[in-house]
Amino acid sequence: MSKKEEKKKQSEEEVKEIDEAVEQEKTVEEQPQKTELELAQEKAEDFENKYLRAIAETQNIQRRSNEERQTLQRYRSQDLAKKILPSLDNLERALQVEGLTDDVKKGLEMVQESLLQALKEEGIEVVETENFDHNLHMAVQTLPADEDHPADTIAEVFQKGYKLHDRLLRPAMVIVYN
Amino acid sequence: MSKKEEKKKQSEEEVKEIDEAVEQEKTVEEQPQKTELELAQEKAEDFENKYLRAIAETQNIQRRSNEERQTLQRYRSQDLAKKILPSLDNLERALQVEGLTDDVKKGLEMVQESLLQALKEEGIEVVETENFDHNLHMAVQTLPADEDHPADTIAEVFQKGYKLHDRLLRPAMVIVYN
C-alpha cells in the first residue's frame, strides 16, 4: 500500500468513524430524546389539564360554599322560630281569658310584643290575611260567598301563620268564603 | 504543495467538515432538542407542582368550609335566642305579680315552659348557679361571708343567665357571699 493509499484509507476510516459516532449519537441520544421529549410534553399537558380542572373545581367549591353559607345565615333562625310559635299561640289564648287585671294584661302584651319583635329582627313575620292565598293560608272551614262576602274573602283567622323571609314557617288557619 | 500534503490537507478538511457537521448538528438539532426537552420537563414539573398545590388548596377550602358550616349550624340559634331572653324575664316578672288567677298563672307557666323547651331543643339552657363562677356569673352585689355562708356561695339570683352549648349568651346576675 502506498503512503497515498494509506492516507486515503486513513481518511476514509476517519470519516467512517465519525459517521458511526454521529449515527451512534443519534441512536443513543437523539432518538430516545425525541421520545423523552414527547413524554415530557405529554406529561406537561396532562398536568396542565389536571391543574386547570383543579382550579375550576376549587372555584366551584368556593362558590357553592358561599351560597350554602348565605342560605344557612338567611334561614338560621328557622328551627328555633318554628318551636317558638306555640308559645305565641299560648300567649294569645292567655290574653283572651276574661277578667284579666290590667297589670297581667300589660305583662302578657309586653311578652308578646318582645317575642314578636325578636322574631321580626330575625326576619320572621306574621302572614298577611287580606285575601285568601293557598300558598300562605289553609282553609279549615268555608262559608258560602254572597254579595257582601265575595269568594276568597277571609272570614276569620283561627291561627296566625308565620314566614321567615320568603319561606313559610306555617300557614295561617282560616275560614274562607267560597 | 505535494500530492501527499494535498491529500493530508484534504483529509484534514474532511475531518474538519465532519467535525463541523457534527457540531452543527449539535447546534441545530441536538442542542435545541435538549433545550426543548428541558423546557418540557420544566413545564411538566411546574404544572405538577401547581396541580398538587391546587389539590391541597381545594382540600383546605373544603375542610374550612365544613368547619365553618358546623359552627354556623351549632350556633345558628344564638341571635334569636339572645333576643328572646328579655321575653323570658318579662314572663318571670309577670308570674310574680300577686293575685293572679289560677287560669292566668297556668297560662303564663305554659308559655314559659314552651319557650324554655324550644330553647332547650336548640341547645340553650339556664346557667347553673350552685357556686359562684366568674365565667358564668356576674356579682351585682356582695354580702359578708360567715360560717353558714362561705365565700363564693350565691345568696340570690337577680336575673337568670343562659348559655348555648359552650357559649355564654349572658351571665347570671347574682348576689354573692364574699
Side-chain angles (χ1 to χ4, degrees):
Chain A
M1 207 181 270
S2 72
K3 283 218 171 175
K4 235 196 214 173
E5 280 171 336
E6 252 185 56
K7 192 70 199 165
K8 195 191 168 199
K9 200 178 176 236
Q10 199 186 324
S11 170
E12 282 170 350
E13 275 173 4
E14 280 171 356
V15 170
K16 203 183 162 197
E17 270 173 29
I18 293 161
D19 274 350
E20 275 173 5
V22 170
E23 202 54 46
Q24 202 182 355
E25 216 162 28
K26 277 189 185 167
T27 311
V28 174
E29 289 179 26
E30 195 186 318
Q31 186 55 36
Q33 263 184 10
K34 204 179 170 190
T35 306
E36 214 180 332
L37 172 63
E38 279 173 358
L39 285 173
Q41 282 169 337
E42 278 170 20
K43 196 179 170 190
E45 203 182 333
D46 185 40
F47 276 120
E48 182 170 10
N49 287 333
K50 281 182 173 174
Y51 166 64
L52 293 173
R53 276 199 300 273
I55 289 289
E57 175 71 2
T58 303
Q59 286 171 341
N60 275 337
I61 288 170
Q62 274 180 318
R63 185 179 46 73
R64 280 200 305 268
S65 167
N66 284 340
E67 286 171 0
E68 202 182 5
R69 186 172 54 240
Q70 280 171 9
T71 304
L72 273 174
Q73 282 284 7
R74 187 166 169 81
Y75 301 110
R76 63 189 167 170
S77 300
Q78 180 172 314
D79 290 353
L80 180 52
K82 267 190 180 175
K83 288 169 184 162
I84 282 170
L85 301 185
S87 306
L88 278 170
D89 298 335
N90 285 334
L91 266 174
E92 279 180 37
R93 262 176 238 126
L95 273 164
Q96 281 157 12
V97 171
E98 279 179 27
L100 293 179
T101 65
D102 282 353
D103 273 2
V104 169
K105 198 169 182 177
K106 212 173 152 186
L108 285 173
E109 281 170 352
M110 261 182 74
V111 175
Q112 187 184 35
E113 275 162 31
S114 63
L115 268 182
L116 285 171
Q117 182 58 32
L119 290 169
K120 193 180 177 183
E121 283 172 23
E122 291 296 301
I124 298 121
E125 291 190 89
V126 173
V127 165
E128 293 286 326
T129 48
E130 290 290 304
N131 284 299
F132 184 75
D133 179 345
H134 69 276
N135 293 312
L136 302 170
H137 310 136
M138 187 179 283
V140 290
Q141 202 182 320
T142 57
L143 291 174
D146 56 31
E147 272 188 16
D148 293 337
H149 308 97
D152 287 344
T153 309
I154 288 172
E156 195 184 322
V157 179
F158 259 170
Q159 194 185 54
K160 285 179 183 167
Y162 293 89
K163 58 180 179 171
L164 167 57
H165 301 302
D166 50 331
R167 271 191 201 170
L168 189 67
L169 295 182
R170 83 175 186 200
M173 305 292 193
V174 298
I175 303 178
V176 66
Y177 289 104
N178 204 348
Chain B
M1 208 184 272
S2 70
K3 284 220 172 176
K4 234 194 210 173
E5 280 172 336
E6 251 185 64
K7 192 70 200 168
K8 194 189 168 198
K9 199 179 175 239
Q10 199 185 324
S11 171
E12 281 170 349
E13 275 174 2
E14 279 171 357
V15 171
K16 203 183 163 200
E17 270 172 28
I18 294 161
D19 275 351
E20 277 174 358
V22 171
E23 202 54 48
Q24 202 183 353
E25 214 161 30
K26 278 189 183 167
T27 313
V28 173
E29 290 179 28
E30 195 186 317
Q31 186 58 33
Q33 265 185 8
K34 206 177 168 191
T35 305
E36 211 180 336
L37 173 62
E38 280 174 358
L39 284 173
Q41 283 170 337
E42 277 170 20
K43 197 179 168 190
E45 203 182 335
D46 185 39
F47 277 120
E48 182 170 11
N49 287 333
K50 279 182 174 173
Y51 166 64
L52 293 173
R53 276 199 300 274
I55 289 288
E57 175 70 1
T58 303
Q59 286 170 342
N60 275 338
I61 288 170
Q62 275 180 317
R63 186 180 46 72
R64 280 199 305 269
S65 168
N66 283 340
E67 286 171 0
E68 202 182 3
R69 187 172 52 238
Q70 280 171 11
T71 304
L72 273 175
Q73 281 285 8
R74 188 169 168 79
Y75 301 110
R76 63 190 165 167
S77 300
Q78 180 172 314
D79 289 354
L80 180 52
K82 267 190 179 174
K83 288 169 184 162
I84 283 170
L85 301 184
S87 306
L88 278 169
D89 299 336
N90 285 335
L91 266 174
E92 279 180 39
R93 262 176 238 124
L95 273 162
Q96 281 158 12
V97 170
E98 279 179 28
L100 293 180
T101 65
D102 282 353
D103 273 1
V104 169
K105 198 170 182 180
K106 212 174 152 186
L108 285 174
E109 280 169 351
M110 260 181 75
V111 175
Q112 187 183 35
E113 276 162 32
S114 64
L115 268 182
L116 286 170
Q117 183 58 32
L119 290 169
K120 194 180 177 184
E121 283 172 24
E122 289 296 300
I124 299 123
E125 291 190 89
V126 173
V127 164
E128 293 286 327
T129 48
E130 290 290 301
N131 284 299
F132 184 75
D133 180 346
H134 70 275
N135 292 313
L136 301 171
H137 311 135
M138 187 179 283
V140 289
Q141 200 182 320
T142 56
L143 292 174
D146 56 32
E147 274 188 16
D148 292 336
H149 308 97
D152 285 346
T153 308
I154 288 172
E156 196 185 321
V157 179
F158 258 171
Q159 192 185 58
K160 286 179 182 167
Y162 292 88
K163 58 181 178 172
L164 167 57
H165 300 302
D166 50 332
R167 272 191 200 169
L168 190 67
L169 294 181
R170 82 174 187 200
M173 305 291 195
V174 298
I175 303 177
V176 65
Y177 289 104
N178 204 349

